Structures are given as C-alpha cells and as structure tokens.
Amino acid sequence: MENFTRRQALRAGALGLMSAGFLSWTTEAGAASTIETTYKAAGPWPVATGTSGGHRLYYPQALGSGGVTHPIVTWGNGSWATPDNYPGLLNHLASWGFAVVASTDTTTGTGAEILAAAQHLIGLDTDPASVFHGKLNTAQVAAVGHSQGAGGSINAANDSAGLIKTVVPIAVPAQWMASPGDEFSVADLTCPVLFLSGANDWLISSAATVQGYYDQATAGAGRALLKGAGHNDIQNTGGAFLGYVTAWLRYRLQADTQAREAFTGSTAELPTNTAWQNQALKNLT
C-alpha cells in the first residue's frame, strides 16, 4: 500500500490514468474575469524553442528587442512526465516575455533538476556564443512545477540561496505522497508562493492539502482551486490555469501593475472570480 500511495498514485495522476472519471468529472470552468482573460490569451512575443545542456527551452523569438531583459522561469515536470506534456503552458509563458527552461527529467521532486536548469540558463546569459547573451534578467527567477515537480519547485527555491524569487506549485501533492528525498517544507520558503490546484483533485492535491500549505507560508501567498479541473488539467493546452499563472509571474517578476491587481488590495480579482473556489490571499503588496 505504501508503494501505491507514493509513486504509483503520483504516476497515475501524471499520466492521466486518474483524470477521467476518478479525479475529474466535469469540464473545467473558463476564464471569467478581466485580468485572468487578458493573461490567458497569448502574449505579444512570437516564441522560439530549442535545447541546451539536456534542457528544453521556450523563449521570445526576438530576445532583447527594445532593450528588454527577460525573467527566467524554471519548470518541474510531474511524475513520469516530460516538457512534451506541457506545451500549452511553456509556450504561453514565453509569449509573455519569459525565458523558460524545463528539465527533461521525469522525477523532479528533489528540486535539484529544477534549480540546475535555472543555473544553466543563467550561465547562457554570460556566454557570448549564446542567443541569450545579455538578454536575461537573472535577478528575476521563478520556479513552477506540476505534482511531483510542484514539490520540487519548493525544494528548488529553498535550496537556491535566494536566487528563486517566487514559486507556483500546481497540484502540489500531500506530504504522504512524497518519496524519501522529495519531502519539501513550505514553512521554509522565503519568497511568495501561489498554490493552484483543481477542485476535483481530491486524492493528490485536495482543498485541505492546499489550505494546509497556504497556512504554512509566511512570505506572501495565494491559493485557489479551479472548478471542474482534475490533477492533470495543466497538461497539454494548460486550460484555464494559464491566466493566473501568467499574471502571477508578470506581477512578481516584471512589476506588471495590471497583473498585480489580481492578487493585491481590497478589490483583488482572484477572490471574486467565480470560475475558482477556496481562494485566499495574504501578505501581498
């Protein structure tokens, strides 16, 4: 039973074996509010892709156009998944001006692979032979991950000595599902965190699980569950997760004032968006 509750449960979730009829029964809700809708649409940057050092890269085709330097997003796959399972999200973030680096490892729970990917891309910023040379904002780095990779994104931030400035764990698993070496501590985070999950993901990343992690966060946090979504709705197109993942990263890494309004102040959009439930925000400015 212990073997199932850890690796097999996460594997089944990541491969989609539980998403039809077991973790999700309804069609996920679409974007329902202005800011979410804005950032759910593709951004203004045409996207290029590539590989480097065993990592997958997604980035604005016209890197550095207009003197822009691009924040970095490092991605962690769910169990037994690869970047090919997340084309919608990874390309979408690049269209909004982020340079995305994705580990190709299928087990990213320790966070080591996620942190190493960020460090690799930072290294390319100093390489005169690289298209990224001088084009990256290496002071603004986020870690984002799904399922096992969500826990890995927290570990990566905790091990980054302040390099990673924000974390977005999507469908983060309950601690009892973390294999030895993959355990993570939300209480140790020193950067803001946005927890997103599906309202129908009751086995791996339930409302109670997300609430518990949110309560442990001390450096600013948000949480929300997408109505009708299961454990793997972030895969493929990215679905209705795209809007707030993108808005959060624009807010935290690019000081985007419109995106900020989704998460701060008495009229913040996220808590009133009826496409989501169990929303909460704290200590965000």
Side-chain angles (χ1 to χ4, degrees), residues 33-37 39 194 221-224 243-249 251 256-273 279-281 284:
S33 296
T34 302
I35 298 171
E36 181 186 34
T37 300
Y39 295 97
L194 176 64
R223 61 173 167 85
Y244 283 135
V245 173
T246 306
W248 176 270
L249 295 174
Y251 153 49
D256 184 324
T257 55
Q258 181 182 8
R260 180 184 289 113
E261 292 176 359
F263 308 104
T264 65
S266 60
T267 60
E269 179 181 285
L270 178 60
T272 62
N273 188 334
Q279 307 102 304
L281 299 165
L284 297 169

PDB file of all heavy atoms in Angstrom, residues 33-37 39 194 221-224 243-249 251 256-273 279-281 284:
ATOM      1  N   SER A  33     -12.976  36.564 -15.556  1.00  0.00           N
ATOM      2  CA  SER A  33     -12.722  37.922 -15.118  1.00  0.00           C
ATOM      3  C   SER A  33     -11.682  38.591 -16.014  1.00  0.00           C
ATOM      4  O   SER A  33     -10.892  37.929 -16.690  1.00  0.00           O
ATOM      5  CB  SER A  33     -12.271  37.929 -13.656  1.00  0.00           C
ATOM      6  OG  SER A  33     -13.299  37.454 -12.801  1.00  0.00           O
ATOM      7  N   THR A  34     -11.660  39.902 -15.958  1.00  0.00           N
ATOM      8  CA  THR A  34     -10.909  40.689 -16.929  1.00  0.00           C
ATOM      9  C   THR A  34      -9.415  40.391 -16.922  1.00  0.00           C
ATOM     10  O   THR A  34      -8.815  40.172 -17.978  1.00  0.00           O
ATOM     11  CB  THR A  34     -11.138  42.185 -16.660  1.00  0.00           C
ATOM     12  OG1 THR A  34     -12.534  42.451 -16.735  1.00  0.00           O
ATOM     13  CG2 THR A  34     -10.394  43.038 -17.687  1.00  0.00           C
ATOM     14  N   ILE A  35      -8.783  40.412 -15.755  1.00  0.00           N
ATOM     15  CA  ILE A  35      -7.332  40.214 -15.694  1.00  0.00           C
ATOM     16  C   ILE A  35      -6.986  38.788 -16.103  1.00  0.00           C
ATOM     17  O   ILE A  35      -6.055  38.564 -16.896  1.00  0.00           O
ATOM     18  CB  ILE A  35      -6.800  40.540 -14.285  1.00  0.00           C
ATOM     19  CG1 ILE A  35      -7.073  42.002 -13.946  1.00  0.00           C
ATOM     20  CG2 ILE A  35      -5.304  40.237 -14.200  1.00  0.00           C
ATOM     21  CD1 ILE A  35      -6.778  42.375 -12.507  1.00  0.00           C
ATOM     22  N   GLU A  36      -7.724  37.821 -15.597  1.00  0.00           N
ATOM     23  CA  GLU A  36      -7.482  36.433 -15.978  1.00  0.00           C
ATOM     24  C   GLU A  36      -7.597  36.262 -17.487  1.00  0.00           C
ATOM     25  O   GLU A  36      -6.756  35.604 -18.122  1.00  0.00           O
ATOM     26  CB  GLU A  36      -8.461  35.505 -15.263  1.00  0.00           C
ATOM     27  CG  GLU A  36      -8.233  34.046 -15.609  1.00  0.00           C
ATOM     28  CD  GLU A  36      -9.307  33.134 -15.019  1.00  0.00           C
ATOM     29  OE1 GLU A  36     -10.464  33.566 -14.920  1.00  0.00           O
ATOM     30  OE2 GLU A  36      -8.975  31.987 -14.684  1.00  0.00           O
ATOM     31  N   THR A  37      -8.618  36.850 -18.074  1.00  0.00           N
ATOM     32  CA  THR A  37      -8.834  36.732 -19.515  1.00  0.00           C
ATOM     33  C   THR A  37      -7.671  37.348 -20.291  1.00  0.00           C
ATOM     34  O   THR A  37      -7.224  36.785 -21.305  1.00  0.00           O
ATOM     35  CB  THR A  37     -10.158  37.410 -19.904  1.00  0.00           C
ATOM     36  OG1 THR A  37     -11.228  36.777 -19.203  1.00  0.00           O
ATOM     37  CG2 THR A  37     -10.404  37.312 -21.396  1.00  0.00           C
ATOM     38  N   TYR A  39      -4.512  37.592 -19.477  1.00  0.00           N
ATOM     39  CA  TYR A  39      -3.278  36.806 -19.435  1.00  0.00           C
ATOM     40  C   TYR A  39      -3.476  35.355 -19.861  1.00  0.00           C
ATOM     41  O   TYR A  39      -2.493  34.643 -20.066  1.00  0.00           O
ATOM     42  CB  TYR A  39      -2.648  36.909 -18.047  1.00  0.00           C
ATOM     43  CG  TYR A  39      -2.191  38.324 -17.757  1.00  0.00           C
ATOM     44  CD1 TYR A  39      -2.986  39.198 -17.020  1.00  0.00           C
ATOM     45  CD2 TYR A  39      -1.004  38.800 -18.286  1.00  0.00           C
ATOM     46  CE1 TYR A  39      -2.595  40.508 -16.792  1.00  0.00           C
ATOM     47  CE2 TYR A  39      -0.594  40.103 -18.066  1.00  0.00           C
ATOM     48  CZ  TYR A  39      -1.400  40.957 -17.318  1.00  0.00           C
ATOM     49  OH  TYR A  39      -0.991  42.257 -17.115  1.00  0.00           O
ATOM     50  N   LEU A 194       2.263  30.945  -4.966  1.00  0.00           N
ATOM     51  CA  LEU A 194       0.869  30.818  -5.406  1.00  0.00           C
ATOM     52  C   LEU A 194       0.565  29.342  -5.592  1.00  0.00           C
ATOM     53  O   LEU A 194       1.137  28.682  -6.463  1.00  0.00           O
ATOM     54  CB  LEU A 194       0.637  31.558  -6.719  1.00  0.00           C
ATOM     55  CG  LEU A 194      -0.763  31.417  -7.329  1.00  0.00           C
ATOM     56  CD1 LEU A 194      -1.820  32.044  -6.419  1.00  0.00           C
ATOM     57  CD2 LEU A 194      -0.815  32.032  -8.722  1.00  0.00           C
ATOM     58  N   ALA A 221       1.377  34.815   0.061  1.00  0.00           N
ATOM     59  CA  ALA A 221       0.849  33.604  -0.563  1.00  0.00           C
ATOM     60  C   ALA A 221      -0.534  33.836  -1.136  1.00  0.00           C
ATOM     61  O   ALA A 221      -1.271  34.734  -0.716  1.00  0.00           O
ATOM     62  CB  ALA A 221       0.801  32.462   0.445  1.00  0.00           C
ATOM     63  N   GLY A 222      -0.863  32.985  -2.110  1.00  0.00           N
ATOM     64  CA  GLY A 222      -2.209  32.911  -2.647  1.00  0.00           C
ATOM     65  C   GLY A 222      -2.574  31.460  -2.857  1.00  0.00           C
ATOM     66  O   GLY A 222      -1.695  30.598  -2.968  1.00  0.00           O
ATOM     67  N   ARG A 223      -3.852  31.187  -2.899  1.00  0.00           N
ATOM     68  CA  ARG A 223      -4.318  29.828  -3.197  1.00  0.00           C
ATOM     69  C   ARG A 223      -5.657  29.909  -3.914  1.00  0.00           C
ATOM     70  O   ARG A 223      -6.460  30.823  -3.683  1.00  0.00           O
ATOM     71  CB  ARG A 223      -4.457  28.975  -1.941  1.00  0.00           C
ATOM     72  CG  ARG A 223      -5.444  29.473  -0.918  1.00  0.00           C
ATOM     73  CD  ARG A 223      -5.625  28.456   0.210  1.00  0.00           C
ATOM     74  NE  ARG A 223      -6.320  29.015   1.364  1.00  0.00           N
ATOM     75  CZ  ARG A 223      -7.633  29.099   1.506  1.00  0.00           C
ATOM     76  NH1 ARG A 223      -8.429  28.660   0.537  1.00  0.00           N
ATOM     77  NH2 ARG A 223      -8.170  29.616   2.594  1.00  0.00           N
ATOM     78  N   ALA A 224      -5.906  28.926  -4.782  1.00  0.00           N
ATOM     79  CA  ALA A 224      -7.190  28.839  -5.479  1.00  0.00           C
ATOM     80  C   ALA A 224      -7.303  27.476  -6.142  1.00  0.00           C
ATOM     81  O   ALA A 224      -6.305  26.903  -6.584  1.00  0.00           O
ATOM     82  CB  ALA A 224      -7.324  29.940  -6.522  1.00  0.00           C
ATOM     83  N   GLY A 243      -4.189  31.786 -17.244  1.00  0.00           N
ATOM     84  CA  GLY A 243      -4.356  33.197 -16.923  1.00  0.00           C
ATOM     85  C   GLY A 243      -3.678  33.615 -15.637  1.00  0.00           C
ATOM     86  O   GLY A 243      -2.872  34.562 -15.625  1.00  0.00           O
ATOM     87  N   TYR A 244      -3.962  32.913 -14.550  1.00  0.00           N
ATOM     88  CA  TYR A 244      -3.413  33.351 -13.271  1.00  0.00           C
ATOM     89  C   TYR A 244      -1.970  32.916 -13.064  1.00  0.00           C
ATOM     90  O   TYR A 244      -1.232  33.591 -12.341  1.00  0.00           O
ATOM     91  CB  TYR A 244      -4.304  32.895 -12.118  1.00  0.00           C
ATOM     92  CG  TYR A 244      -5.557  33.734 -11.978  1.00  0.00           C
ATOM     93  CD1 TYR A 244      -6.798  33.144 -11.777  1.00  0.00           C
ATOM     94  CD2 TYR A 244      -5.504  35.128 -12.072  1.00  0.00           C
ATOM     95  CE1 TYR A 244      -7.947  33.916 -11.650  1.00  0.00           C
ATOM     96  CE2 TYR A 244      -6.645  35.901 -11.961  1.00  0.00           C
ATOM     97  CZ  TYR A 244      -7.861  35.299 -11.749  1.00  0.00           C
ATOM     98  OH  TYR A 244      -8.994  36.060 -11.640  1.00  0.00           O
ATOM     99  N   VAL A 245      -1.533  31.826 -13.663  1.00  0.00           N
ATOM    100  CA  VAL A 245      -0.102  31.502 -13.604  1.00  0.00           C
ATOM    101  C   VAL A 245       0.693  32.637 -14.256  1.00  0.00           C
ATOM    102  O   VAL A 245       1.675  33.146 -13.691  1.00  0.00           O
ATOM    103  CB  VAL A 245       0.207  30.168 -14.303  1.00  0.00           C
ATOM    104  CG1 VAL A 245       1.724  29.953 -14.370  1.00  0.00           C
ATOM    105  CG2 VAL A 245      -0.452  29.006 -13.576  1.00  0.00           C
ATOM    106  N   THR A 246       0.264  33.055 -15.435  1.00  0.00           N
ATOM    107  CA  THR A 246       0.962  34.117 -16.158  1.00  0.00           C
ATOM    108  C   THR A 246       0.875  35.441 -15.424  1.00  0.00           C
ATOM    109  O   THR A 246       1.883  36.165 -15.280  1.00  0.00           O
ATOM    110  CB  THR A 246       0.373  34.265 -17.571  1.00  0.00           C
ATOM    111  OG1 THR A 246       0.402  33.000 -18.230  1.00  0.00           O
ATOM    112  CG2 THR A 246       1.154  35.279 -18.386  1.00  0.00           C
ATOM    113  N   ALA A 247      -0.317  35.787 -14.936  1.00  0.00           N
ATOM    114  CA  ALA A 247      -0.483  37.058 -14.226  1.00  0.00           C
ATOM    115  C   ALA A 247       0.400  37.104 -12.980  1.00  0.00           C
ATOM    116  O   ALA A 247       1.025  38.133 -12.686  1.00  0.00           O
ATOM    117  CB  ALA A 247      -1.949  37.256 -13.854  1.00  0.00           C
ATOM    118  N   TRP A 248       0.462  36.005 -12.234  1.00  0.00           N
ATOM    119  CA  TRP A 248       1.300  35.976 -11.030  1.00  0.00           C
ATOM    120  C   TRP A 248       2.771  36.212 -11.384  1.00  0.00           C
ATOM    121  O   TRP A 248       3.461  37.003 -10.730  1.00  0.00           O
ATOM    122  CB  TRP A 248       1.135  34.641 -10.320  1.00  0.00           C
ATOM    123  CG  TRP A 248       2.027  34.483  -9.109  1.00  0.00           C
ATOM    124  CD1 TRP A 248       3.285  33.962  -9.070  1.00  0.00           C
ATOM    125  CD2 TRP A 248       1.713  34.858  -7.761  1.00  0.00           C
ATOM    126  NE1 TRP A 248       3.780  33.982  -7.784  1.00  0.00           N
ATOM    127  CE2 TRP A 248       2.833  34.524  -6.960  1.00  0.00           C
ATOM    128  CE3 TRP A 248       0.594  35.420  -7.142  1.00  0.00           C
ATOM    129  CZ2 TRP A 248       2.868  34.739  -5.584  1.00  0.00           C
ATOM    130  CZ3 TRP A 248       0.628  35.647  -5.757  1.00  0.00           C
ATOM    131  CH2 TRP A 248       1.746  35.312  -5.008  1.00  0.00           C
ATOM    132  N   LEU A 249       3.247  35.549 -12.406  1.00  0.00           N
ATOM    133  CA  LEU A 249       4.651  35.701 -12.785  1.00  0.00           C
ATOM    134  C   LEU A 249       4.941  37.101 -13.314  1.00  0.00           C
ATOM    135  O   LEU A 249       6.007  37.665 -13.042  1.00  0.00           O
ATOM    136  CB  LEU A 249       5.033  34.637 -13.812  1.00  0.00           C
ATOM    137  CG  LEU A 249       4.987  33.191 -13.298  1.00  0.00           C
ATOM    138  CD1 LEU A 249       5.234  32.209 -14.438  1.00  0.00           C
ATOM    139  CD2 LEU A 249       5.989  32.960 -12.167  1.00  0.00           C
ATOM    140  N   TYR A 251       3.344  39.782 -12.349  1.00  0.00           N
ATOM    141  CA  TYR A 251       3.283  40.595 -11.134  1.00  0.00           C
ATOM    142  C   TYR A 251       4.568  40.484 -10.325  1.00  0.00           C
ATOM    143  O   TYR A 251       5.177  41.492  -9.948  1.00  0.00           O
ATOM    144  CB  TYR A 251       2.055  40.155 -10.336  1.00  0.00           C
ATOM    145  CG  TYR A 251       2.067  40.345  -8.844  1.00  0.00           C
ATOM    146  CD1 TYR A 251       2.425  41.551  -8.251  1.00  0.00           C
ATOM    147  CD2 TYR A 251       1.649  39.301  -8.016  1.00  0.00           C
ATOM    148  CE1 TYR A 251       2.391  41.697  -6.868  1.00  0.00           C
ATOM    149  CE2 TYR A 251       1.604  39.439  -6.650  1.00  0.00           C
ATOM    150  CZ  TYR A 251       1.987  40.639  -6.070  1.00  0.00           C
ATOM    151  OH  TYR A 251       1.949  40.776  -4.706  1.00  0.00           O
ATOM    152  N   ASP A 256       4.330  44.115 -13.236  1.00  0.00           N
ATOM    153  CA  ASP A 256       3.193  44.441 -14.099  1.00  0.00           C
ATOM    154  C   ASP A 256       2.033  44.896 -13.205  1.00  0.00           C
ATOM    155  O   ASP A 256       1.490  44.116 -12.424  1.00  0.00           O
ATOM    156  CB  ASP A 256       2.826  43.190 -14.900  1.00  0.00           C
ATOM    157  CG  ASP A 256       1.710  43.425 -15.898  1.00  0.00           C
ATOM    158  OD1 ASP A 256       0.777  44.201 -15.614  1.00  0.00           O
ATOM    159  OD2 ASP A 256       1.747  42.785 -16.971  1.00  0.00           O
ATOM    160  N   THR A 257       1.654  46.165 -13.326  1.00  0.00           N
ATOM    161  CA  THR A 257       0.655  46.720 -12.426  1.00  0.00           C
ATOM    162  C   THR A 257      -0.740  46.149 -12.678  1.00  0.00           C
ATOM    163  O   THR A 257      -1.533  45.999 -11.741  1.00  0.00           O
ATOM    164  CB  THR A 257       0.614  48.248 -12.527  1.00  0.00           C
ATOM    165  OG1 THR A 257       0.399  48.631 -13.897  1.00  0.00           O
ATOM    166  CG2 THR A 257       1.917  48.848 -12.041  1.00  0.00           C
ATOM    167  N   GLN A 258      -1.071  45.852 -13.927  1.00  0.00           N
ATOM    168  CA  GLN A 258      -2.376  45.245 -14.195  1.00  0.00           C
ATOM    169  C   GLN A 258      -2.442  43.849 -13.587  1.00  0.00           C
ATOM    170  O   GLN A 258      -3.434  43.491 -12.949  1.00  0.00           O
ATOM    171  CB  GLN A 258      -2.654  45.173 -15.688  1.00  0.00           C
ATOM    172  CG  GLN A 258      -4.022  44.569 -15.999  1.00  0.00           C
ATOM    173  CD  GLN A 258      -4.305  44.432 -17.480  1.00  0.00           C
ATOM    174  OE1 GLN A 258      -3.423  44.647 -18.312  1.00  0.00           O
ATOM    175  NE2 GLN A 258      -5.531  44.086 -17.827  1.00  0.00           N
ATOM    176  N   ALA A 259      -1.397  43.062 -13.773  1.00  0.00           N
ATOM    177  CA  ALA A 259      -1.373  41.711 -13.204  1.00  0.00           C
ATOM    178  C   ALA A 259      -1.447  41.753 -11.689  1.00  0.00           C
ATOM    179  O   ALA A 259      -2.095  40.898 -11.058  1.00  0.00           O
ATOM    180  CB  ALA A 259      -0.114  40.987 -13.659  1.00  0.00           C
ATOM    181  N   ARG A 260      -0.794  42.735 -11.078  1.00  0.00           N
ATOM    182  CA  ARG A 260      -0.808  42.851  -9.620  1.00  0.00           C
ATOM    183  C   ARG A 260      -2.228  42.956  -9.071  1.00  0.00           C
ATOM    184  O   ARG A 260      -2.526  42.459  -7.980  1.00  0.00           O
ATOM    185  CB  ARG A 260       0.021  44.063  -9.185  1.00  0.00           C
ATOM    186  CG  ARG A 260       0.057  44.268  -7.679  1.00  0.00           C
ATOM    187  CD  ARG A 260       0.812  45.533  -7.278  1.00  0.00           C
ATOM    188  NE  ARG A 260       2.237  45.381  -7.492  1.00  0.00           N
ATOM    189  CZ  ARG A 260       2.941  46.053  -8.396  1.00  0.00           C
ATOM    190  NH1 ARG A 260       2.316  46.936  -9.185  1.00  0.00           N
ATOM    191  NH2 ARG A 260       4.232  45.860  -8.518  1.00  0.00           N
ATOM    192  N   GLU A 261      -3.096  43.607  -9.813  1.00  0.00           N
ATOM    193  CA  GLU A 261      -4.461  43.837  -9.330  1.00  0.00           C
ATOM    194  C   GLU A 261      -5.257  42.553  -9.163  1.00  0.00           C
ATOM    195  O   GLU A 261      -6.311  42.556  -8.524  1.00  0.00           O
ATOM    196  CB  GLU A 261      -5.176  44.801 -10.265  1.00  0.00           C
ATOM    197  CG  GLU A 261      -4.602  46.205 -10.212  1.00  0.00           C
ATOM    198  CD  GLU A 261      -5.251  47.141 -11.215  1.00  0.00           C
ATOM    199  OE1 GLU A 261      -6.143  46.676 -11.964  1.00  0.00           O
ATOM    200  OE2 GLU A 261      -4.864  48.322 -11.251  1.00  0.00           O
ATOM    201  N   ALA A 262      -4.782  41.452  -9.715  1.00  0.00           N
ATOM    202  CA  ALA A 262      -5.464  40.174  -9.496  1.00  0.00           C
ATOM    203  C   ALA A 262      -5.218  39.636  -8.096  1.00  0.00           C
ATOM    204  O   ALA A 262      -5.997  38.809  -7.602  1.00  0.00           O
ATOM    205  CB  ALA A 262      -5.003  39.147 -10.528  1.00  0.00           C
ATOM    206  N   PHE A 263      -4.155  40.125  -7.442  1.00  0.00           N
ATOM    207  CA  PHE A 263      -3.692  39.486  -6.207  1.00  0.00           C
ATOM    208  C   PHE A 263      -3.553  40.418  -5.012  1.00  0.00           C
ATOM    209  O   PHE A 263      -3.307  39.931  -3.897  1.00  0.00           O
ATOM    210  CB  PHE A 263      -2.332  38.819  -6.460  1.00  0.00           C
ATOM    211  CG  PHE A 263      -2.316  37.913  -7.644  1.00  0.00           C
ATOM    212  CD1 PHE A 263      -1.723  38.306  -8.839  1.00  0.00           C
ATOM    213  CD2 PHE A 263      -2.916  36.656  -7.594  1.00  0.00           C
ATOM    214  CE1 PHE A 263      -1.705  37.465  -9.940  1.00  0.00           C
ATOM    215  CE2 PHE A 263      -2.917  35.814  -8.697  1.00  0.00           C
ATOM    216  CZ  PHE A 263      -2.310  36.222  -9.873  1.00  0.00           C
ATOM    217  N   THR A 264      -3.671  41.719  -5.195  1.00  0.00           N
ATOM    218  CA  THR A 264      -3.430  42.643  -4.087  1.00  0.00           C
ATOM    219  C   THR A 264      -4.592  43.619  -3.921  1.00  0.00           C
ATOM    220  O   THR A 264      -5.342  43.891  -4.846  1.00  0.00           O
ATOM    221  CB  THR A 264      -2.137  43.449  -4.305  1.00  0.00           C
ATOM    222  OG1 THR A 264      -2.304  44.299  -5.454  1.00  0.00           O
ATOM    223  CG2 THR A 264      -0.949  42.538  -4.532  1.00  0.00           C
ATOM    224  N   GLY A 265      -4.706  44.129  -2.706  1.00  0.00           N
ATOM    225  CA  GLY A 265      -5.695  45.151  -2.415  1.00  0.00           C
ATOM    226  C   GLY A 265      -7.074  44.591  -2.116  1.00  0.00           C
ATOM    227  O   GLY A 265      -7.357  43.401  -2.301  1.00  0.00           O
ATOM    228  N   SER A 266      -7.953  45.473  -1.679  1.00  0.00           N
ATOM    229  CA  SER A 266      -9.299  45.067  -1.272  1.00  0.00           C
ATOM    230  C   SER A 266     -10.175  44.653  -2.443  1.00  0.00           C
ATOM    231  O   SER A 266     -11.218  44.017  -2.248  1.00  0.00           O
ATOM    232  CB  SER A 266      -9.978  46.216  -0.506  1.00  0.00           C
ATOM    233  OG  SER A 266     -10.065  47.372  -1.332  1.00  0.00           O
ATOM    234  N   THR A 267      -9.776  45.019  -3.662  1.00  0.00           N
ATOM    235  CA  THR A 267     -10.561  44.650  -4.847  1.00  0.00           C
ATOM    236  C   THR A 267      -9.826  43.638  -5.725  1.00  0.00           C
ATOM    237  O   THR A 267     -10.091  43.558  -6.927  1.00  0.00           O
ATOM    238  CB  THR A 267     -10.897  45.904  -5.676  1.00  0.00           C
ATOM    239  OG1 THR A 267      -9.671  46.544  -6.093  1.00  0.00           O
ATOM    240  CG2 THR A 267     -11.737  46.879  -4.867  1.00  0.00           C
ATOM    241  N   ALA A 268      -8.923  42.877  -5.145  1.00  0.00           N
ATOM    242  CA  ALA A 268      -8.189  41.866  -5.919  1.00  0.00           C
ATOM    243  C   ALA A 268      -9.160  40.950  -6.657  1.00  0.00           C
ATOM    244  O   ALA A 268     -10.198  40.544  -6.119  1.00  0.00           O
ATOM    245  CB  ALA A 268      -7.293  41.049  -5.000  1.00  0.00           C
ATOM    246  N   GLU A 269      -8.819  40.604  -7.884  1.00  0.00           N
ATOM    247  CA  GLU A 269      -9.752  39.843  -8.724  1.00  0.00           C
ATOM    248  C   GLU A 269      -9.886  38.380  -8.328  1.00  0.00           C
ATOM    249  O   GLU A 269     -10.994  37.823  -8.340  1.00  0.00           O
ATOM    250  CB  GLU A 269      -9.295  39.924 -10.185  1.00  0.00           C
ATOM    251  CG  GLU A 269     -10.195  39.149 -11.145  1.00  0.00           C
ATOM    252  CD  GLU A 269      -9.709  39.224 -12.576  1.00  0.00           C
ATOM    253  OE1 GLU A 269      -9.889  40.292 -13.197  1.00  0.00           O
ATOM    254  OE2 GLU A 269      -9.147  38.227 -13.065  1.00  0.00           O
ATOM    255  N   LEU A 270      -8.779  37.717  -8.004  1.00  0.00           N
ATOM    256  CA  LEU A 270      -8.826  36.270  -7.772  1.00  0.00           C
ATOM    257  C   LEU A 270      -9.888  35.842  -6.766  1.00  0.00           C
ATOM    258  O   LEU A 270     -10.637  34.888  -7.029  1.00  0.00           O
ATOM    259  CB  LEU A 270      -7.451  35.758  -7.345  1.00  0.00           C
ATOM    260  CG  LEU A 270      -7.352  34.261  -7.014  1.00  0.00           C
ATOM    261  CD1 LEU A 270      -7.736  33.398  -8.224  1.00  0.00           C
ATOM    262  CD2 LEU A 270      -5.950  33.914  -6.531  1.00  0.00           C
ATOM    263  N   PRO A 271     -10.017  36.493  -5.612  1.00  0.00           N
ATOM    264  CA  PRO A 271     -11.003  36.020  -4.634  1.00  0.00           C
ATOM    265  C   PRO A 271     -12.449  36.114  -5.096  1.00  0.00           C
ATOM    266  O   PRO A 271     -13.326  35.436  -4.528  1.00  0.00           O
ATOM    267  CB  PRO A 271     -10.763  36.929  -3.424  1.00  0.00           C
ATOM    268  CG  PRO A 271      -9.359  37.408  -3.584  1.00  0.00           C
ATOM    269  CD  PRO A 271      -9.174  37.567  -5.063  1.00  0.00           C
ATOM    270  N   THR A 272     -12.728  36.938  -6.100  1.00  0.00           N
ATOM    271  CA  THR A 272     -14.112  37.119  -6.550  1.00  0.00           C
ATOM    272  C   THR A 272     -14.409  36.425  -7.871  1.00  0.00           C
ATOM    273  O   THR A 272     -15.530  36.521  -8.379  1.00  0.00           O
ATOM    274  CB  THR A 272     -14.427  38.618  -6.697  1.00  0.00           C
ATOM    275  OG1 THR A 272     -13.568  39.191  -7.697  1.00  0.00           O
ATOM    276  CG2 THR A 272     -14.218  39.344  -5.382  1.00  0.00           C
ATOM    277  N   ASN A 273     -13.442  35.720  -8.423  1.00  0.00           N
ATOM    278  CA  ASN A 273     -13.624  35.051  -9.711  1.00  0.00           C
ATOM    279  C   ASN A 273     -14.403  33.757  -9.503  1.00  0.00           C
ATOM    280  O   ASN A 273     -13.937  32.819  -8.850  1.00  0.00           O
ATOM    281  CB  ASN A 273     -12.256  34.761 -10.336  1.00  0.00           C
ATOM    282  CG  ASN A 273     -12.344  34.247 -11.764  1.00  0.00           C
ATOM    283  OD1 ASN A 273     -13.341  33.653 -12.167  1.00  0.00           O
ATOM    284  ND2 ASN A 273     -11.291  34.456 -12.529  1.00  0.00           N
ATOM    285  N   GLN A 279     -10.467  30.386  -2.651  1.00  0.00           N
ATOM    286  CA  GLN A 279      -9.441  31.396  -2.892  1.00  0.00           C
ATOM    287  C   GLN A 279      -9.056  32.112  -1.609  1.00  0.00           C
ATOM    288  O   GLN A 279      -9.901  32.350  -0.741  1.00  0.00           O
ATOM    289  CB  GLN A 279      -9.924  32.443  -3.910  1.00  0.00           C
ATOM    290  CG  GLN A 279     -10.439  31.898  -5.220  1.00  0.00           C
ATOM    291  CD  GLN A 279     -11.950  31.893  -5.287  1.00  0.00           C
ATOM    292  OE1 GLN A 279     -12.603  31.315  -4.415  1.00  0.00           O
ATOM    293  NE2 GLN A 279     -12.517  32.522  -6.311  1.00  0.00           N
ATOM    294  N   ALA A 280      -7.799  32.497  -1.503  1.00  0.00           N
ATOM    295  CA  ALA A 280      -7.325  33.321  -0.400  1.00  0.00           C
ATOM    296  C   ALA A 280      -6.003  33.955  -0.793  1.00  0.00           C
ATOM    297  O   ALA A 280      -5.239  33.406  -1.601  1.00  0.00           O
ATOM    298  CB  ALA A 280      -7.153  32.482   0.866  1.00  0.00           C
ATOM    299  N   LEU A 281      -5.741  35.135  -0.223  1.00  0.00           N
ATOM    300  CA  LEU A 281      -4.503  35.865  -0.459  1.00  0.00           C
ATOM    301  C   LEU A 281      -4.030  36.449   0.875  1.00  0.00           C
ATOM    302  O   LEU A 281      -4.851  36.827   1.697  1.00  0.00           O
ATOM    303  CB  LEU A 281      -4.726  37.004  -1.452  1.00  0.00           C
ATOM    304  CG  LEU A 281      -5.207  36.643  -2.855  1.00  0.00           C
ATOM    305  CD1 LEU A 281      -5.730  37.872  -3.586  1.00  0.00           C
ATOM    306  CD2 LEU A 281      -4.086  35.981  -3.655  1.00  0.00           C
ATOM    307  N   LEU A 284       0.534  40.198   0.560  1.00  0.00           N
ATOM    308  CA  LEU A 284       0.985  40.566  -0.781  1.00  0.00           C
ATOM    309  C   LEU A 284       0.787  42.051  -1.001  1.00  0.00           C
ATOM    310  O   LEU A 284      -0.249  42.610  -0.628  1.00  0.00           O
ATOM    311  CB  LEU A 284       0.213  39.766  -1.843  1.00  0.00           C
ATOM    312  CG  LEU A 284       0.395  38.252  -1.810  1.00  0.00           C
ATOM    313  CD1 LEU A 284      -0.616  37.579  -2.734  1.00  0.00           C
ATOM    314  CD2 LEU A 284       1.821  37.862  -2.200  1.00  0.00           C
TER     315      LEU A 284
END
